[in-house]
Amino acid sequence: MLPNVLNANRVRLLIAAALAGLALVASLSLGGSTPAGAASGNCAGSLIESRNLNVGGKKVGELDVYYNRATGRNCARMNHAGSTWGKKLMTRVWIGICSEKTPGNKTCHYDPATDAVDKGSYSYYAGPVTTKASAAGRCIAASGYLWMNGKRYAVGTNPWVGHCG
């Protein structure tokens, strides 16, 4: 009867050691995340444009636009940066599919049924927002806003109507 008790104790110790190891790996992967890394995820696909929002010569935000080849959809996110990182500010991101098929137009004629927007009081970013349809064969436009000290600052894709395909 004594050998079975010893084997049961060994099994318990092995299980406890394995769980402790998993907990350590999980805590390192969560704790090792940097603000820059945290702000760059959540949009599926490849980054196709990143535009800085500068105020007074300093970067305070960044509009990132992605394209997912598998779905044909685009995604955008407006990140805080520099002095705005971690500060709760009204933040907005918008992305739309334009009816235009060539880049450079000053106006994006978009269908509100396919665009996406997120606006709120955020400390790190607004979005991500993903178009509700594939943009294949058409152009897209995206914009991001930060409100600081009662004033709105904006950044958009360049050209405004671009990333056509």
Side-chain angles (χ1 to χ4, degrees), residues 78-148:
M78 181 62 193
N79 301 304
H80 292 210
S83 63
T84 67
W85 183 258
K87 292 188 180 169
K88 197 164 234 179
L89 298 170
M90 186 58 62
T91 310
R92 180 181 188 267
V93 65
W94 171 85
I95 191 165
I97 301 170
C98 310
S99 62
E100 289 76 14
K101 296 181 181 187
T102 57
N105 296 327
K106 303 255 183 213
T107 304
C108 171
H109 299 92
Y110 68 95
D111 178 356
T114 64
D115 74 337
V117 66
D118 181 33
K119 179 182 176 185
S121 184
Y122 300 120
S123 298
Y124 300 101
Y125 56 86
V129 293
T130 303
T131 56
K132 296 178 185 102
S134 169
R138 292 179 288 169
C139 303
I140 60 133
S143 60
Y145 301 89
L146 281 175
W147 280 261
M148 298 181 302

Side-chain angles (χ1 to χ4, degrees), residues 6 12 32-33 35 44 60 62 77 91 107 145-146 153:
L6 291 177
R12 285 187 198 114
S33 176
V60 296
E62 179 180 79
R77 182 167 160 163
T91 310
T107 304
Y145 301 89
L146 281 175
Y153 297 91

